[in-house]
Amino acid sequence: MHPFRKAVEARDMDAVAALLADDVVFTSPVAFKPYPGKAITAAILRGVLRVFEDFTYVREIGEEDGRDHALVFTATVGGKAVQGCDFLHLDEDGRIDELTVMVRPLSAAQALAEAMGAQFDRIAREAAGE
């Protein structure tokens, strides 16, 4: 089991943050522009855990010692069933330097966008260390 999966399933956000490279780039399924940096990525992931219900990883794809991993998940947000995937790329030190999330169907992506939009002021404060 990938350490990111283990940390997310345990809802251990300190462990999740420790796995992120300082220069990580987070690509959201609902925002056009990627978010660079560990602080904002960790804050977004905390926000996601607040809005997703019944979050479960159902499949892990990638070689244990490889640098690319795909973690398939299911969840519910705003009453909509979500199916998604976290795509991880690891740097030479084994830290996550790219994290791309994709979700389906469109109605679930729209529910996620709405729920995360409601979280974004809090996410920005958390990223700024407030």
Side-chain angles (χ1 to χ4, degrees):
M1 179 182 302
H2 193 276
F4 182 81
R5 175 182 179 174
K6 190 174 192 174
V8 170
E9 287 180 339
R11 301 181 77 79
D12 183 347
M13 290 311 299
D14 290 336
V16 169
L19 295 168
L20 302 174
D22 289 339
D23 62 349
V24 64
V25 175
F26 176 78
T27 304
S28 165
V30 296
F32 176 75
K33 187 176 93 173
Y35 295 93
K38 184 175 184 172
I40 189 67
T41 299
I44 290 169
L45 293 174
R46 283 191 297 273
V48 169
L49 286 181
R50 288 190 294 266
V51 302
F52 273 157
E53 300 169 20
D54 307 318
F55 182 90
T56 306
Y57 282 115
V58 295
R59 187 174 309 116
E60 187 170 332
I61 304 165
E63 297 177 20
E64 189 172 327
D65 59 349
R67 292 179 65 183
D68 292 291
H69 300 271
L71 306 175
V72 181
F73 64 84
T74 60
T76 305
V77 63
K80 302 284 184 184
V82 178
Q83 181 183 34
C85 191
D86 293 336
F87 294 97
L88 313 176
H89 181 270
L90 308 181
D91 66 13
E92 55 278 347
D93 296 322
R95 297 219 188 301
I96 299 166
D97 63 358
E98 294 175 22
L99 172 54
T100 299
V101 180
M102 294 189 183
V103 298
R104 63 162 307 280
L106 178 59
S107 60
Q110 290 167 329
L112 178 60
E114 183 178 322
M116 288 302 291
Q119 292 276 319
F120 217 81
D121 285 343
R122 180 175 177 181
I123 289 168
R125 287 192 308 273
E126 288 178 4
E130 297 176 9

